[in-house]
């Protein structure tokens, strides 16, 4: 990681006085507690990818469960399928966390991106006052001008045999002229009552700690922890006709009717078959 030289700040096209930096001291004071999940909170000015950095720290033994790494700007952020993603400095929340769910069978770790989506949506609804929904498996949606837009995403990576790094990117103050694609959105464009990133980040991380604790206590059981029901209730994909673009250039079209016990999206096709989809790009074909 290479922190930005202060001499760059005034000349950078991303410099923006309406986007103040995060207060790492306040974040640590509000989140780090003995016996709680979050044990280390670091903020860097600029890095390639917080996920890559935290995976490396875990491999080096310099980070353990409860480590949080936040970047004011990412220059090589990745989404699913290694897609590149960039945003102006301090325009969003870009962070990764390290978890080691030892009590949970690895077969249930597939619920972690869905769990994170529920936690992020819950935290933002409370702190930003904006309605959010989830697109299976890992997108956060908001409504801008009556249209559904993507305002955030989640990327989960293994970190050794017993660890998982979860990366989250949320567009907070991104303006219309800054949108990378027309389908993108931000909390500000969705009419958020607050775009102060410090309380937003605290709310999201507290919500993630709460949901992760419930899920871990239940041994990763999505039904017993309430995760499966809550995810389904907030999932904008269910009840819609979608196209699942699968590996190997295969596609399935059907109605998304359920999220099963393994976190897979179940599609009811015109052939009368219910097909579970565990990985792939989902395209919404019909409004909810």
């Amino acid at each position: 990681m290479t922190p930005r030289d202060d001499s760059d700040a005034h000349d950078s096209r991303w410099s923006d006085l309406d986007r103040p930096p995060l207060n790492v001291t306040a974040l640590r004071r509000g989140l780090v507690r003995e016996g709680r999940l979050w044990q280390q909170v670091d903020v860097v000015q600029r890095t390639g990818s917080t996920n890559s950095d935290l995976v490396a720290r875990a491999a080096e033994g310099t980070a353990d469960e409860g480590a949080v790494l936040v970047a004011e700007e990412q220059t090589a952020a990745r989404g699913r399928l290694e897609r590149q993603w960039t945003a102006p400095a301090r325009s969003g929340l870009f962070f990764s966390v390290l978890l080691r769910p030892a009590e949970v069978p690895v077969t249930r770790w597939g619920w972690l991106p869905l769990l994170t989506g529920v936690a992020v949506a819950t935290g933002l609804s409370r702190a930003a006052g904006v309605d959010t929904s989830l697109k299976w498996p890992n997108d956060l949606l908001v409504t801008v001008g009556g249209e559904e837009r993507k305002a955030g995403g989640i990327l989960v990576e293994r970190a050794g045999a017993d660890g998982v790094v979860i990366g989250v990117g949320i567009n907070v103050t991104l303006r219309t002229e800054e949108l990378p694609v027309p389908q993108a959105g931000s909390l500000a464009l969705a009419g958020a009552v607050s775009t102060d990133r410090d309380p937003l980040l605290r709310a999201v991380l507290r919500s993630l700690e709460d949901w992760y604790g419930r899920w871990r206590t239940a041994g990763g059981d999505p039904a017993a922890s309430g995760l499966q029901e809550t995810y389904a209730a907030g999932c904008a994909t269910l009840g819609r006709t979608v196209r699942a673009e699968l590996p190997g250039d295969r596609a399935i079209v059907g109605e998304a009717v359920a999220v099963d016990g393994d976190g897979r999206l179940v599609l009811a096709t015109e052939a009368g078959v219910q097909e579970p989809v565990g990985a792939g790009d989902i395209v919404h074909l019909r409004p909810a």
Side-chain angles (χ1 to χ4, degrees), residues 1 33 57 61 69 81 88 95 98 102 115 123-124 147 153 159 162 173 197 225 269 274:
M1 295 172 292
R33 293 281 191 279
R57 288 188 185 186
L69 179 60
L81 307 178
F95 66 94
L98 174 60
L115 181 154
L124 291 179
E147 295 183 357
D162 63 346
T173 60
R197 293 181 305 140
S225 63
T269 70
Q274 292 200 348

Side-chain angles (χ1 to χ4, degrees), residues 43-228:
V43 177
V44 297
Q45 292 303 304
R46 177 194 284 175
T47 191
S49 161
T50 56
N51 255 36
S52 296
D53 292 345
L54 201 49
V55 168
R57 288 188 185 186
E60 295 163 358
T62 57
D64 209 336
E65 180 166 66
V68 181
L69 179 60
V70 190
E72 294 285 30
E73 180 182 7
Q74 292 188 105
T75 58
R78 293 169 291 117
R80 290 182 64 251
L81 307 178
E82 295 298 316
R83 292 178 178 132
Q84 296 298 304
W85 175 83
T86 59
R90 305 190 302 277
S91 66
L93 293 173
F94 322 122
F95 66 94
S96 298
V97 303
L98 174 60
L99 303 177
R100 299 190 190 277
E103 306 90 338
V104 178
V106 174
T107 53
R108 287 177 167 170
W109 288 16
W111 273 96
L112 281 169
L114 283 69
L115 181 154
T116 304
V118 167
V120 170
T122 302
L124 291 179
S125 294
R126 291 172 181 165
V130 64
D131 288 334
T132 59
S133 59
L134 300 167
K135 178 184 174 187
W136 187 93
N138 62 348
D139 289 347
L140 180 78
L141 305 179
V142 297
T143 302
V144 179
E147 295 183 357
E148 200 173 66
R149 303 278 191 90
K150 177 180 175 178
I154 297 157
L155 179 66
V156 177
E157 298 183 69
R158 289 293 293 268
D162 63 346
V164 179
V165 168
I166 303 175
V168 178
I170 304 165
N171 295 332
V172 178
T173 60
L174 213 61
R175 305 170 183 122
T176 299
E177 64 273 16
E178 295 171 326
L179 296 176
V181 293
Q183 297 79 23
S186 68
L187 301 185
L189 293 175
V193 297
S194 172
T195 55
D196 185 337
R197 293 181 305 140
D198 283 273
L200 293 181
L201 181 56
R202 289 197 298 271
V204 167
L205 287 172
R206 285 170 181 156
S207 180
L208 180 53
E209 178 179 17
D210 176 50
W211 275 105
Y212 179 62
R214 294 192 213 181
W215 177 75
R216 189 169 57 176
T217 298
D221 187 319
S225 63
L227 177 59
Q228 187 172 7

Side-chain angles (χ1 to χ4, degrees), residues 2-16 45-46 73 90:
T2 305
R4 170 180 291 172
D5 188 292
D6 288 340
S7 64
D8 296 340
H10 300 294
D11 299 327
S12 170
R13 64 193 178 101
W14 298 136
S15 183
D16 192 332
Q45 292 303 304
R46 177 194 284 175
E73 180 182 7
R90 305 190 302 277

